[in-house]
């Protein structure tokens, strides 16, 4: 990817941030910071530094306050995600059905810890506290596709499906 | 209103066949979308789109066997339906009126089949009041809710009752909060009603942070109008004109269905200005939660609604008097609100006739873990654990032994076998050192290590503690450190006493209920399974053969048939052997992933887990040859 390309990407990205901010300002609701950050998270799959700077400017909220909110919540990420997001459910039901072994296997296979992204940006590994499909446990979700009743031996095969 | 309902009901031909398909999150995950598409396609192909209705409902609760498809008017229930089954269902059952045996429920022990949902033991022993509509309603169609008598209670309240009378009815019903504490809802409503300050807010708590619980989501996804109706009735009684529904953003279907429901309720005049011509105004906003367990606590949740970090406030200020923007705010759990229309429609006396002395009505549990029938279970308060786990849940998976059941989520505790006949209600569970919590019920078998489970909850809470008060923040950290040591074989004398001491301090000195209850998983496991802690500490042994650092995998030479399965599957190349050569695990390379244990054929079972004793030395090279034993593929040789 060339430099100019990156730059336009950043600019269109920031335009989108601008739109999201405007959407909330127009409705004139109070206390929408969390909702706004959630929208940005789902738009970009993380919350870029530039977006935080822009929100701070436009809403006249100190950056520190935005960082505080963004780092508090599980659903918001301050680092960019890989092409594929692997979520391992570690809700209690999956826990007692062997999820820790699945997480171990994923970490060994991808050579990263949960919360990290592989160097080639292919996978991000995240643990989640219950996806509420406990009948399928242990569950691994890759890019929204559910893989249920997983055993450690199945891990490698699942990852291979996602290039 | 009555006229409207009559019209809706009259507009429906009850004899016309229609199909309902469970489309809650769990069935979504097991492929209900693909089944829905296949149904549509097949109906078109067979030219039946006019004659057969299709309705995608919310969660039916029997998630173990989803997606669930029911064919009306006969109410034939098919489980675990795949897109490939659909053409047969349409031609055989819909057209031919013949039942497909293979898709029916079969009782595991007898093989006996059940045609109707209500004949399946999982459903038969339940009492579905709050959850009833889920089987039938398309949550995106208000007409479905109306046809079942929806918004009747609201109309009754607005036409016939004063706010005081409504409040009185709910108080008399002894409705206790379903979100954790079991606080009487009527009393809370009254406090907010009488508190000084305007406007007043009413709030639905659908944060459902308890990992392993999903009944609130299923109500919100499957029957959002019921929650809205309850909330509106509450608002009328309390004198509130603005409501909030706080839903965690991990529940996208719930958020979407709720959004649709609010719009439709406004169109029909059940929400908004001058509701049903009564002059009462009420509006509802949805607030998405961003995933923090502590944000489900009442004062933290109100901070979050204001857009602040969801941290609790000191408890001496009651949110019912000073909550969102310091205004009186009444917060209740989803299931609590969903009970309100029932109480109004059928009366407090009826409600009081169900349940136990101190806990009235039903409760929905999310029955999960190592149980056969995972799913949502609604039973009258006072039903015993045994009935829930065995009669409804079908017992323990894989013929394993029951060890205990965990209730109340991270704030709750563990209940061992000797209390299986305890009637489940708010007070009984608390007496046993656990609690009702929001209704999570996690069944644990003999292969789960109790100490590790305690570590799991402490680890969870450690991450989720907001860190504002010292006892919770530091107490949890210290507990985690100790427990991590114990499960890793670094436990030492005095650890147990230290855990107890920290736990007692946290109970007394923490700011919010996260901290005051955080030690429960540790204290209750110590109460009932102290010997397991002691085995870890004194003998470096994990009795459940679970803790990675305390177990080794070992291949019994006499049993190994040299089938190469474990060798090929070992991701670390830690197993040596060959055709006709006993396999041996190199302990220095083994990462204890357990794959060898899983793949060793059940008839062979040569791979063993051992704990607390040294691994026997590998067989000498000369003796590794398997000669006269006949080796057949797949290792079907000897026991
Ligand atoms: C750490 C913590 C987390 C909580 N999470 C939830 C939750 O996810 N859902 C819920 O309904 N109540 C939760 N509660 C309980 C709420 O504080 C509050 O008591 C409840 O929502 C009130 O509703 P109820 O009276 O209808 O039960 C939580 C409490 C604590 C201390």
């Amino acid at each position: 990817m060339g430099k100019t390309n990156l730059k336009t990407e950043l600019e269109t990205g920031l335009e989108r941030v601008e739109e999201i901010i405007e959407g909330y300002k127009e409705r004139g609701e109070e206390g929408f910071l969390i909702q706004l950050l959630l929208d940005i998270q789902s738009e970009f799959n993380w919350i870029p530094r530039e977006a935080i700077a822009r929100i701070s400017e436009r809403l006249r909220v100190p950056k520190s306050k935005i960082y505080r909110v963004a780092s508090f919540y599980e659903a918001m990420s301050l680092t960019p995600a890989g092409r594929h997001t692997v979520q391992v459910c570690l809700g209690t039901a999956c826990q007692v059905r062997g999820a820790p072994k699945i997480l171990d296997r994923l970490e060994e296979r991808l050579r990263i810890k949960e919360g990290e992204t592989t160097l080639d940006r292919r996978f991000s590994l995240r643990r989640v506290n219950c996806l509420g499909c406990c009948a399928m446990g242990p569950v691994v979700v890759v890019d929204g596709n559910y893989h249920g009743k997983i055993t450690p031996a199945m891990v490698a095969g699942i990852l291979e499906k996602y290039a | 209103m009555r006229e409207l309902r009559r019209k809706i009901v009259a507009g429906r031909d009850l004899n016309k066949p229609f199909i309902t398909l469970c489309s809650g999150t769990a069935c979504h995950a097991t492929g209900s979308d693909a089944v829905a598409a296949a149904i549509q396609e097949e109906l078109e192909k067979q030219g039946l789109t006019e004659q057969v209705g299709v309705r995608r409902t919310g969660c039916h609760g029997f998630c173990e066997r989803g997606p669930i498809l029911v064919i009306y008017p006969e109410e034939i229930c098919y489980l675990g339906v795949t897109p490939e089954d659909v053409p047969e269902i349409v031609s055989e059952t819909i057209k031919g009126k013949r039942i497909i045996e293979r898709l029916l429920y079969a009782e595991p022990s007898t093989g006996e089949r059940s045609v109707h949902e209500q004949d399946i033991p999982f459903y038969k022993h339940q009492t579905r009041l709050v959850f009833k509509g889920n089987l039938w309603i398309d949550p995106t169609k208000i007409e479905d809710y109306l046809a079942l008598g929806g918004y009747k209670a609201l109309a009754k309240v607005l036409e016939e009752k004063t706010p005081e009378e409504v409040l009185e009815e709910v108080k008399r019903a002894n409705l206790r909060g379903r979100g954790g504490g079991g606080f009487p809802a009527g009393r809370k409503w009254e406090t907010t009603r009488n508190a000084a300050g305007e406007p007043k807010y009413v709030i639905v708590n659908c944060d459902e942070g308890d990992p392993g619980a999903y009944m609130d989501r299923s109500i919100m996804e499957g029957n959002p109008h019921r929650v809205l109706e309850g909330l509106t009735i509450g608002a009328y009684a309390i004198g509130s004109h603005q409501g909030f529904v706080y839903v965690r953003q991990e529940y996208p279907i719930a958020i979407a269905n709720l959004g649709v429901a609010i719009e439709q309720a406004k169109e029909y005049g059940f929400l908004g200005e001058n509701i049903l011509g009564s002059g009462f105004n009420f509006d509802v906003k949805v607030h998405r939660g961003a995933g923090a367990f502590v944000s489900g606590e009442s004062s933290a949740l109100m901070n979050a609604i204001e857009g602040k970090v969801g941290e609790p406030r000191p408890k001496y200020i009651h949110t019912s008097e000073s909550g969102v923007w310091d205004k009186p705010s009444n917060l209740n759990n989803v299931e609590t609100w969903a009970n309100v229309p029932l109480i109004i429609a059928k009366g407090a006396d009826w409600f009081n006739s169900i349940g136990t002395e101190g806990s009235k009505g039903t409760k929905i549990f999310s029955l999960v873990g190592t149980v056969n029938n995972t799913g949502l279970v609604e039973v009258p308060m006072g039903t015993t654990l045994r009935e829930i786990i065995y009669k409804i849940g079908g017992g323990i998976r894989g013929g394993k032994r029951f060890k205990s059941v965990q209730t109340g989520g991270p704030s709750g505790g563990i209940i061992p076998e000797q209390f299986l006949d305890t009637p489940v209600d708010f007070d009984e569970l608390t007496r046993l050192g656990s609690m009702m919590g929001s209704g999570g019920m996690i069944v644990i078998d003999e292969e789960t290590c109790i100490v590790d489970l305690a570590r799991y909850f402490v680890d969870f809470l450690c991450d989720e503690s907001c860190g504002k008060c010292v006892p919770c923040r530091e107490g949890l950290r210290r507990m985690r450190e100790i427990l991590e040591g114990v499960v890793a074989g670094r436990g030492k004398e005095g650890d147990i006493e230290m855990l107890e001491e920290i736990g007692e301090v946290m109970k007394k000195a923490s700011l919010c209920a996260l901290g005051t209850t955080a030690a429960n998983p540790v204290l209750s496991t110590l109460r009932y399974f102290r010997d397991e802690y002691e085995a870890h500490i004194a003998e470096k042994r994990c009795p459940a053969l679970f803790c990675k650092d305390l177990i080794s995998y070992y291949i019994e030479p006499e049993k190994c048939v040299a089938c190469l399965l474990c060798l090929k599957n070992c991701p670390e190349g830690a197993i040596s052997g060959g055709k006709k050569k006993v396999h041996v695990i190199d302990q220095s390379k083994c990462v204890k992933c357990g794959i060898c244990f899983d793949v060793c054929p059940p008839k062979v079972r040569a791979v063993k887990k051992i704990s607390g004793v040294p691994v026997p030395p590998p067989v000498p090279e000369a003796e590794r040859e398997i000669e006269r034993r006949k080796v057949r593929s797949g290792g079907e040789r000897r026991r």
Side-chain angles (χ1 to χ4, degrees):
Chain A
M1 210 187 289
K3 224 180 183 161
T4 42
N5 215 338
L6 251 179
K7 196 158 171 222
T8 44
E9 207 176 272
L10 184 66
E11 271 164 14
T12 41
L14 277 177
E15 271 168 34
R16 207 34 219 129
V17 170
E18 198 72 39
E19 274 170 37
I20 294 172
I21 298 174
E22 276 310 312
Y24 279 97
K25 284 189 92 169
E26 264 168 31
R27 276 190 266 165
E29 287 172 20
E30 275 181 84
F32 55 72
L33 182 58
I34 296 173
Q35 308 301 304
L36 185 127
L37 288 172
L38 279 176
D39 283 351
I40 291 177
Q41 168 79 32
S42 61
E43 182 80 24
F44 302 101
N45 220 351
W46 69 298
I47 303 177
R49 211 165 59 203
E50 291 78 5
I52 291 189
R54 188 59 65 97
I55 298 169
S56 162
E57 228 171 79
R58 303 281 279 107
L59 300 186
R60 301 184 178 281
V61 186
K63 275 191 209 163
S64 62
K65 189 178 166 197
I66 305 173
Y67 274 113
R68 177 149 153 66
V69 172
S71 60
F72 182 83
Y73 287 108
E74 199 82 25
M76 300 176 190
S77 163
L78 292 167
T79 48
R83 285 200 301 287
H84 305 290
T85 304
V86 182
Q87 296 174 302
V88 192
C89 180
L90 283 173
T92 319
C94 286
Q95 168 78 18
V96 305
R97 285 187 179 194
K101 276 193 192 154
I102 309 294
L103 180 61
D104 279 353
R105 200 80 281 279
L106 280 163
E107 290 184 338
E108 273 155 20
R109 183 89 199 171
L110 298 173
R111 307 202 177 284
I112 51 171
K113 292 275 161 210
E114 55 100 358
E116 296 177 351
T117 300
T118 53
L119 272 181
D120 61 2
R121 294 231 175 281
R122 183 167 157 201
F123 289 111
S124 293
L125 182 61
R126 291 186 56 194
R127 56 178 279 183
V128 287
N129 295 322
C130 195
L131 294 159
C133 39
C134 308
M136 295 172 79
V139 180
V140 169
V141 181
V142 189
D143 299 343
N145 301 317
Y146 287 74
H147 302 272
K149 304 209 166 141
I150 301 289
T151 64
M154 288 157 74
V155 164
I158 292 173
L159 291 178
E160 261 159 38
K161 288 193 212 158
Y162 301 88
Chain B
M1 176 82 194
R2 234 161 274 140
E3 186 54 21
L4 178 67
R5 185 169 0 260
R6 207 187 47 75
K7 259 203 233 139
I8 291 171
V9 177
R12 291 176 180 223
D13 177 1
L14 291 177
N15 292 320
K16 171 178 161 180
F18 71 90
I19 304 173
T20 65
L21 178 66
C22 181
S23 303
T25 295
C27 281
H28 194 72
T30 43
S32 110
D33 277 350
V35 175
I39 294 175
Q40 211 51 48
E41 191 184 320
E42 193 59 31
L43 289 180
E44 273 166 32
K45 214 155 93 192
Q46 307 217 17
L48 289 171
T49 35
E50 286 297 307
Q51 291 95 306
V52 182
V54 180
R55 189 180 298 163
R56 300 196 65 180
T57 68
C59 177
H60 288 216
F62 195 13
C63 308
E64 189 72 41
R65 306 292 296 274
I68 299 168
L69 188 146
V70 183
I71 296 157
Y72 291 84
E74 298 90 349
E75 294 189 33
I76 300 163
C77 170
Y78 289 150
L79 303 171
V81 176
T82 63
E84 291 75 46
D85 297 324
V86 169
E88 193 183 346
I89 294 173
V90 174
S91 28
E92 280 296 300
T93 311
I94 306 245
K95 271 181 149 171
K97 300 282 171 208
R98 281 182 298 270
I99 286 168
I100 306 169
E101 287 278 323
R102 141 180 81 82
L103 296 173
L104 295 176
Y105 175 83
E107 181 59 32
S109 52
T110 61
E112 197 185 323
R113 305 216 170 240
S114 312
V115 176
H116 305 299
E117 219 163 11
Q118 67 270 22
D119 298 335
I120 300 172
F122 176 79
Y123 292 106
K124 195 159 71 186
H125 302 290
Q126 296 193 39
T127 305
R128 292 197 152 185
L129 303 174
V130 175
F131 214 53
K132 196 170 176 186
N134 270 47
L135 298 186
W136 203 77
I137 289 176
D138 177 342
T140 59
K141 298 213 166 67
I142 192 170
E143 295 81 7
D144 285 1
Y145 183 62
L146 289 170
L148 280 192
Y151 287 109
K152 224 180 185 167
L154 178 65
K156 177 168 160 185
V157 158
L158 294 179
E159 279 166 21
E160 301 167 15
K161 286 184 189 283
T162 64
E164 291 80 5
E165 285 167 345
V166 177
L167 186 63
E168 206 44 47
E169 193 76 17
V170 173
K171 271 170 72 181
R172 228 164 44 76
N174 297 308
L175 173 64
R176 293 175 68 173
R178 272 32 177 175
F183 192 82
R187 262 179 41 211
K188 194 147 76 176
W189 289 17
E190 191 168 40
T191 311
T192 304
R193 182 180 159 78
N194 293 337
E198 288 288 337
K200 295 182 163 84
Y201 298 109
V202 287
I203 308 165
V204 181
N205 189 346
C206 187
D207 191 44
E208 200 160 57
D210 174 1
Y214 58 102
M215 52 266 142
D216 291 348
R217 182 193 69 201
S218 292
I219 298 174
M220 198 57 103
E221 275 178 11
N223 201 349
H225 284 293
R226 184 172 201 127
V227 182
L228 289 177
E229 183 177 6
L231 182 68
T232 312
I233 293 170
Y236 176 73
I238 290 166
S240 161
H241 304 288
Q242 179 65 56
F244 293 99
V245 186
Y246 185 97
V247 195
R248 55 168 38 214
Q249 64 98 40
E250 289 93 330
Y251 287 176
I253 304 180
I255 293 173
N257 290 358
L258 174 64
V260 172
I262 291 175
E263 284 314 308
Q264 292 178 341
K266 278 185 186 159
E267 264 168 45
Y268 275 80
F270 299 127
L271 272 181
E273 304 270 305
N274 191 17
I275 296 175
L276 296 175
S278 66
F280 175 63
N281 306 332
F282 182 60
D283 196 16
V284 178
K285 273 199 198 118
V286 180
H287 184 100
R288 284 170 298 160
F293 177 66
V294 73
S295 295
E297 193 274 340
S298 52
S299 63
L301 186 146
M302 299 195 188
N303 273 339
I305 287 182
E306 293 177 19
K308 297 186 197 140
V309 165
E311 280 176 355
R313 304 171 186 174
K315 261 287 154 168
Y316 56 85
I317 307 163
H318 290 290
T319 50
S320 40
E321 290 166 344
S322 173
V324 179
W325 289 295
D326 301 326
K327 301 294 180 204
S329 306
N330 177 85
L331 172 74
N332 281 116
N333 167 263
V334 172
E335 196 183 335
T336 315
W337 287 117
N339 266 291
V340 172
L342 273 177
I343 292 171
I344 299 297
K346 301 194 174 187
D349 292 331
W350 166 83
F351 195 76
N352 272 315
S353 71
I354 306 163
T356 61
E357 184 62 36
S359 312
K360 300 299 182 190
T362 60
K363 176 79 192 82
I364 305 178
F365 294 98
S366 127
L367 184 65
V368 301
T370 58
V371 65
N372 273 318
N373 301 331
T374 296
L376 296 180
V377 173
E378 182 175 356
V379 286
M381 296 274 190
T383 308
T384 67
L385 284 166
R386 190 184 301 280
E387 283 173 87
I388 297 175
I389 295 168
Y390 285 90
K391 264 184 152 169
I392 299 172
I396 312 303
R397 285 156 75 87
K400 302 260 167 57
R401 245 181 63 106
F402 173 86
K403 185 167 184 174
S404 64
V405 55
Q406 205 280 343
T407 69
S411 319
I414 211 143
I415 300 170
E417 197 168 3
Q418 67 258 38
F419 298 114
L420 269 179
D421 290 309
T422 306
V424 178
D425 73 6
F426 287 108
D427 312 312
E428 287 290 324
L429 291 184
T430 308
R431 208 172 49 77
L432 294 178
S434 184
M435 62 188 257
M436 177 82 90
S438 57
M441 200 174 261
I442 292 117
V443 178
I444 289 155
D445 68 16
E446 55 195 334
E447 290 181 0
T448 301
C449 172
I450 291 290
V451 185
D452 186 70
L453 190 69
R455 181 207 55 78
Y456 164 80
F457 282 120
V458 168
D459 182 51
F460 173 88
L461 289 164
C462 218
D463 285 349
E464 297 296 336
S465 165
C466 72
K468 198 164 164 177
C469 75
V470 178
C472 176
R473 184 183 68 224
E474 296 306 320
L476 279 167
R477 271 218 217 141
R478 275 295 287 144
M479 281 219 260
R480 175 161 74 176
E481 223 171 85
I482 295 171
L483 289 167
E484 280 178 350
V486 172
V487 297
R490 298 190 306 269
K492 52 188 184 312
E493 213 178 302
D495 278 356
I496 294 182
E497 292 72 20
M498 181 57 88
L499 286 171
E500 284 172 331
E501 196 181 327
I502 297 172
E504 290 306 323
V505 173
M506 287 171 62
K507 246 187 185 174
K508 293 199 185 95
S510 299
L511 177 66
C512 81
L514 188 145
T516 56
T517 59
N520 278 354
V522 176
L523 297 178
S524 81
T525 47
L526 272 172
R527 178 163 161 190
Y528 299 120
F529 292 94
R530 204 181 184 92
D531 54 332
E532 284 205 19
Y533 281 82
E534 284 163 354
H536 280 76
I537 295 170
E539 302 166 45
K540 310 296 174 215
R541 178 172 66 88
C542 173
L545 300 172
F546 177 89
C547 293
K548 221 164 91 171
D549 294 311
L550 297 181
I551 61 165
S552 309
Y553 288 88
Y554 169 68
I555 302 175
E556 289 185 88
E558 317 78 61
K559 288 191 179 171
C560 177
V561 295
C563 69
L564 300 174
L565 264 179
C566 60
L567 188 149
K568 279 189 196 146
N569 278 287
C570 176
E572 301 295 318
I575 300 180
S576 67
K579 274 189 192 158
K580 297 197 199 167
K581 198 168 176 194
V582 167
H583 298 359
V584 174
I585 300 174
D586 180 345
Q587 298 294 333
S588 67
K589 283 191 188 160
C590 176
V591 294
K592 300 177 189 173
C593 67
I595 292 182
C596 53
F597 184 86
D598 294 339
V599 299
C600 186
K603 285 191 180 143
V604 178
R605 283 201 180 285
V607 183
K608 239 176 84 172
K609 289 189 262 188
I610 51 180
S611 180
V613 288
V615 182
V619 241
E621 200 53 41
E623 290 165 33
R624 282 179 69 180
E625 206 68 30
I626 308 180
E627 298 154 25
R628 279 171 298 123
R629 305 183 198 163
K630 268 192 250 113
V631 182
R632 257 186 275 142
S633 66
E636 287 179 10
R637 194 182 39 87
R638 36 165 289 191
R639 310 226 55 159

